[in-house]
Amino acid sequence: MPGMGRSVQTGNSLIVSTFHTALFHQLLIVLLVVALCAIGFNIVRTVQYRKLKQHGQDSFPSMERFHTPEPAARRILRIGFGGLWIFDGLLQLQSAMPLGLPSSVIQPGASTSPGWVQHLVNSGVSIWSNHPIQAASATVWIQVGLGLWLLVAPRGTWSRLGGVASIGWGLVVWVFGEAFGGIFAPGATWLFGAPGAVLFYCIAGFLIALPERAFATPRLGRIILAGGGVLLIGMALLQAWPGRGYWQGRGGTLTAMVQTMARTPQPRFLSSWLTSFASFDAIHGWAVNLFAVIALAVIGGLLVSGRRRFALVGLIALVAFSVADWVLIEDLGFLGGVGTDPNSMVPMALLFVAGYVAMVRVPAETEVPAGSAAALPGGGTNWWERTSLSYVTRTIAAIAALAIVIVGSGPMAIAAVNQNADPILTEALDGSPNTLDTPAPHFALTDQRGAPVSLASLRGHTIALTFLDPVCTSDCPLIAQEFRQTAQRLGDQGRRVDFVAIVANPIYRSASFTNAFDRQESLDRLPNWYFLTGSVLALQRVWNSYGILVSTVGAGAMVSHSDLAFVIDPRGHERDVLIDDPGPSQTFASSFSSLLLSRIDQVLNS
């Protein structure tokens, strides 16, 4: 099997160091953005100061756009979820994220969902797997930028746009990262995080994007709590559904889940708590599930009631139940090296708390002060001439936060449209190419058409050379496809490149080589391709001169050989030696093609 036993560990030093380097370079861009915004702030304040001098004023009166405090519920949502986005972005800094997130988090999370969900999620996984550095670093800045945006822009258009941006990115994460929060999986349960943590981020973003007048009456708060209550009642019915393993103790679904979470790398006291709870559930599984069903149903009913006293009791019970679930079942959600967020309990509780506050604390209306910008005689006609220091500061800070989001979303967008994997994956698996500038060993063999071909006859073209066994059914066809893909990606430059495959099986010579390889998807139909063979003695000389070790197993039934590729410049000098042993997945084949292409481009442009 190609690539059997070969894989890149999540802590691969090359991947980790490149990830950290990419973050550092992007940090420099972020600092440049902050510096430019600081310059813009100084320009605006200079314009304001000159306006003051023109009107003979010593200080500029308070001229905030808003003269009523931000609704308390909106402030809770904005600050709370802004902090959560920043926390989630910082979690993306973990070294295992580039390679570990798809295989350890995203794919397992979608494994029990229907085929169409897995197909959709795998399309996102492919983007991340092909470009792990760009995807992982982009996620850091997008989420940190979103969090800062919500924190620094408390009012007005910029604040509402921050809510809209949260919805957009949240939906991307909910669909591709959480597989719709597992709601289509057969074992979906509130206890494990359904309907997905990021769905609550999206709802919060929607509420922040609403006009502030939406918070002027208790109606919005009642809608939030009623919607949450309906969700909990639905989850109670789902939890009570028989045949899903939750009524069972020992060997049941909940026990198995908690035992798995207890094995996550974490402080010992936490794993001890989880182990104890798993043991308790193994003995009292039926009672534990009954308690969960009743608690969800009762809390949901209290929230749906719409009455303050009942809603408060339900909210307190929900927060207590959520904390217990967060610690004993979800295991805080962000431990283990690839945790991306604190799971669903924290954002859900925060959303419902904001809903209760929106129901019981309605902002009072106040009159516009006489010294407002609208009443100032001779006031500036532009907002930057007449707004207060705090408003200018927040506006420019929001622009800086948007720029940070763009620093992340730009590389992510480029990665999404590039179907070819990054060369760094092959380098992480096989090492970087050995760079040389020495005369390439001579060869003089016969091509698939019976014509003589030598290194000298190909002089003036760049050569990509490898060794293939025409009857190999594992590595060689994949290596051939890697070369085919490289040839196709060269485009017009392919006319300056020759692709050479020398036989690595001594029992195949002359036309038999071509015929055998035709059965393995021959590349003969591509231009500038040469399949070279010859006598055993001639082949052995070429193998030895290029350092290719060929061994025959079972009286010629199987041949193993070194999987190496060579890039030779038009002068006939070896420039690069690459290992082209295929990796464990098609992603690595595409990555090798990108690496080989980059080396050929360097020779062509040198």
Side-chain angles (χ1 to χ4, degrees):
M1 293 296 292
M4 181 177 292
R6 303 170 69 241
S7 62
V8 180
Q9 301 300 314
T10 56
N12 180 273
S13 59
L14 177 62
I15 296 293
V16 172
S17 63
T18 306
F19 176 48
H20 291 161
T21 300
L23 287 171
F24 176 73
H25 291 162
Q26 290 166 342
L27 176 61
L28 295 180
I29 298 175
V30 168
L31 294 177
L32 176 61
V33 167
V34 172
L36 291 175
C37 288
I39 293 172
F41 171 80
N42 285 327
I43 292 173
V44 171
R45 295 311 291 172
T46 300
V47 171
Q48 290 183 318
Y49 178 75
R50 289 178 178 175
K51 278 287 181 182
L52 289 177
K53 291 300 184 181
Q54 289 176 6
H55 291 85
Q57 298 176 5
D58 294 328
S59 62
F60 210 70
S62 174
M63 289 178 289
E64 290 284 352
R65 283 187 61 191
F66 301 96
H67 309 286
T68 58
E70 180 185 14
R74 190 180 189 279
R75 187 183 309 117
I76 290 172
L77 292 171
R78 183 178 55 78
I79 296 176
F81 282 91
L84 283 175
W85 275 126
I86 293 175
F87 181 69
D88 295 352
L90 295 178
L91 287 176
Q92 294 290 334
L93 291 170
Q94 298 175 97
S95 298
M97 284 297 172
L99 295 177
L101 188 67
S103 59
S104 301
V105 178
I106 299 177
Q107 288 177 317
S111 60
T112 57
S113 296
W116 68 271
V117 174
Q118 295 186 45
H119 177 75
L120 185 62
V121 169
N122 286 337
S123 65
V125 168
S126 296
I127 294 173
W128 190 291
S129 298
N130 286 345
H131 311 283
I133 304 301
Q134 294 94 317
S137 57
T139 304
V140 171
W141 298 113
I142 290 173
Q143 298 186 163
V144 168
L146 284 175
L148 291 174
W149 192 346
L150 294 178
L151 291 178
V152 302
R155 315 294 291 273
T157 302
W158 279 106
S159 182
R160 295 176 62 189
L161 287 176
V164 173
S166 298
I167 298 172
W169 177 247
L171 288 174
V172 170
V173 177
W174 187 60
V175 173
F176 295 100
E178 293 189 341
F180 297 94
I183 60 176
F184 298 108
T189 171
W190 179 87
L191 298 178
F192 295 171
V198 187
L199 182 61
F200 296 110
Y201 289 63
C202 295
I203 297 172
F206 172 77
L207 295 173
I208 293 170
L210 291 176
E212 287 193 16
R213 61 177 178 274
F215 294 85
T217 68
R219 183 170 179 268
L220 181 61
R222 292 195 181 98
I223 292 174
I224 295 172
L225 293 182
V230 171
L231 170 67
L232 295 179
I233 293 171
M235 288 296 169
L237 294 174
L238 198 61
Q239 193 69 31
W241 204 270
R244 303 171 72 243
Y246 293 108
W247 291 103
Q248 184 179 349
R250 192 175 305 278
T253 306
L254 180 58
T255 301
M257 174 64 174
V258 176
Q259 289 173 340
T260 299
M261 298 305 293
R263 293 191 289 270
T264 300
Q266 60 188 304
R268 188 170 181 177
F269 73 92
L270 285 175
S271 60
S272 176
W273 289 356
L274 268 71
T275 301
S276 298
F277 180 71
S279 301
F280 179 83
D281 186 69
I283 300 172
H284 308 287
W286 193 90
V288 169
N289 198 61
L290 179 63
F291 172 80
V293 171
I294 294 175
L296 289 173
V298 171
I299 293 172
L302 291 172
L303 296 181
V304 168
S305 70
R307 302 183 65 177
R308 292 189 179 188
R309 186 174 300 176
F310 289 165
L312 178 60
V313 173
L315 182 63
I316 293 172
L318 174 65
V319 171
F321 191 15
S322 298
V323 170
D325 185 276
W326 186 49
V327 174
L328 297 179
I329 298 177
E330 293 185 347
D331 195 20
L332 305 187
F334 56 85
L335 302 175
V338 287
T340 59
D341 55 60
N343 215 318
S344 62
M345 295 300 155
V346 173
M348 181 194 63
L350 182 61
L351 180 64
F352 289 175
V353 167
Y356 178 78
V357 172
M359 185 175 70
V360 301
R361 289 191 60 183
V362 177
E365 295 184 2
T366 58
E367 296 183 357
V368 177
S372 69
L376 274 177
T381 57
N382 299 310
W383 69 267
W384 58 83
E385 296 175 348
R386 52 188 173 81
T387 51
S388 69
L389 172 64
S390 62
Y391 184 74
V392 171
T393 303
R394 292 195 301 265
T395 299
I396 293 180
I399 294 172
L402 171 60
I404 294 173
V405 173
I406 294 173
V407 167
S409 57
M412 180 70 84
I414 294 172
V417 299
N418 183 2
Q419 297 180 355
N420 300 303
D422 292 338
I424 194 172
L425 294 171
T426 291
E427 295 185 75
L429 184 67
D430 294 325
S432 298
N434 185 17
T435 302
L436 307 169
D437 192 5
T438 58
H442 180 72
F443 58 82
L445 300 168
T446 303
D447 70 6
Q448 64 271 25
R449 292 171 289 271
V453 177
S454 66
L455 179 62
S457 69
L458 301 177
R459 191 68 57 84
H461 277 198
T462 299
I463 300 170
L465 181 147
T466 192
F467 294 79
L468 299 176
D469 178 357
V471 294
C472 171
T473 59
S474 56
D475 287 8
C476 289
L478 295 178
I479 294 172
Q481 296 310 311
E482 292 173 351
F483 272 63
R484 178 201 290 270
Q485 187 176 359
T486 305
Q488 293 172 335
R489 291 171 62 185
L490 274 169
D492 292 339
Q493 291 193 103
R495 292 174 295 183
R496 302 164 54 195
V497 180
D498 292 325
F499 291 86
V500 177
I502 298 176
V503 68
N505 189 330
I507 65 174
Y508 284 91
R509 297 189 299 278
S510 189
S512 62
F513 173 62
T514 304
N515 294 337
F517 211 90
D518 279 339
R519 294 194 295 270
Q520 299 295 336
E521 298 185 62
S522 169
L523 305 180
D524 188 32
R525 299 180 182 86
L526 293 175
N528 298 345
W529 270 93
Y530 299 91
F531 299 92
L532 305 186
T533 187
S535 67
V536 174
L537 183 60
L539 288 171
Q540 286 177 337
R541 283 198 297 265
V542 178
W543 298 338
N544 293 337
S545 62
Y546 280 91
I548 302 300
L549 302 177
V550 177
S551 59
T552 304
V553 181
M558 180 183 297
V559 174
S560 62
H561 61 88
S562 306
D563 290 329
L564 295 177
F566 302 83
V567 178
I568 302 172
D569 67 19
R571 301 174 300 150
H573 281 213
E574 281 187 19
R575 297 292 294 274
D576 293 287
V577 181
L578 304 82
I579 297 175
D580 60 3
D581 185 9
S585 69
Q586 184 60 34
T587 295
F588 287 88
S590 175
S591 174
F592 176 82
S593 171
S594 297
L595 180 61
L596 179 59
L597 181 65
S598 69
R599 296 297 167 165
I600 292 174
D601 280 338
Q602 287 183 10
V603 173
L604 291 174
N605 297 321
S606 62

